[in-house]
Amino acid sequence: MSEILETEVSADHGRRLRAPEESTPVLDVDDLVVEHRNRTTGEVFRAVDGVSLRIDAGESVAVVGESGSGKTTLAMAATGLGVRGSGDIQLLGHSLASIGRRQLRELRPEVQVVFQDPHGSLDPRQSVRSGLRELRGLQRERTSWIDDDGLLDRVRLTPDMLDRYPHQLSGGQAQRVCIARALLMRPRLIVADEPTSGLDVSVQADVLKLLQETQASTGAALLMISHDLAVVRSVCDSVHVMFRGKVVESGPCETVFKNPTNEYTRELLDAMPGARWRARR
Ligand SMILES: Nc1ncnc2c1ncn2[C@@H]1O[C@H](COP(=O)(O)OP(=O)(O)O)[C@@H](O)[C@H]1O
Ligand SMILES: [Mg+2]
């Protein structure tokens, strides 16, 4: 068991939700449907249309698809983060439909999201240090496992970063701070929504590696959303391909990328960034 999970077990006593069994999936979504209603026309639009997916502890699962295919909506609804849908969603063994608001609040820290735009995720008025201090104040039990220096060290940032404000950080550094903040919570699920799309190409690989290491060292599960197949292939075990709200193909990355069975998947794969290596194999 990893260092972090051991700390977590010993710090778990104050929680009101029962701890999940080891075999319980971190996330188990069955037939999720999310509809958006256009306020002007009243028209209903299905952003997510009958999607099922399961993520186990330590597993990394990708959702790929062109822009607008419903990836972000799926991730936000599946994790109870502000988007509501129908279908059965089990987060750490708890049905999102049947738990109350307080319990949902207790579950929230278990899911940490790293967004595309790291600067947009950080408060411009807060130094890195005061942002971390605030998180610690809000979640004392969860955040006591590591000090600020140790945390920055884990994401390979130097202690002088603590006194910087977001505008004094490069995109890569800001994303590392976002990953550090997510890591501080010892989540069981990390959702990374296009985590490298807003970064310079030169730092993308580094940030991905960090996410991978973070996941491996914490035993957390990773839900990686991306339109970049090279990213997905280097980081994830399995992939779901989304098209217009539906999952059109799923399976281990190697299988889906090498031998896509769905005609649309093939077209999508060829049109996507990262398709080059498919031709090279
Ligand atoms: N709050 C919302 N209200 C109305 N339509 C939305 C809302 N959020 C997303 N959509 C629409 O749902 C579709 C899927 O969006 P999104 O999940 O952001 O796709 P992706 O992340 O794959 O780019 C898009 O057509 C988008 O315009
Ligand atoms: Mg999106």
Side-chain angles (χ1 to χ4, degrees), residues 36-45:
H36 294 303
R37 184 180 293 278
N38 184 309
R39 289 212 184 116
T40 326
T41 64
E43 230 171 88
V44 171
F45 170 74

Side-chain angles (χ1 to χ4, degrees), residues 14-65:
R15 303 238 195 120
R16 283 171 292 264
L17 284 171
R18 81 190 137 73
E21 307 272 322
E22 211 148 285
S23 59
T24 306
V26 170
L27 183 65
D28 199 357
V29 176
D30 187 40
D31 200 19
L32 177 66
V33 174
V34 182
E35 296 185 326
H36 294 303
R37 184 180 293 278
N38 184 309
R39 289 212 184 116
T40 326
T41 64
E43 230 171 88
V44 171
F45 170 74
R46 260 189 192 198
V48 176
D49 192 0
V51 170
S52 300
L53 64 84
R54 173 185 167 136
I55 309 178
D56 290 316
E59 198 186 13
S60 50
V61 173
V63 174
V64 302

Side-chain angles (χ1 to χ4, degrees), residues 12 25 43 62 68 164 172 196 198 204 238 246 248 269-270 275-276:
D12 233 14
E43 230 171 88
R164 296 211 191 171
T196 57
Q204 287 184 356
S238 63
K246 289 185 198 286
V248 293
L269 293 178
D270 285 339
R276 286 185 313 281

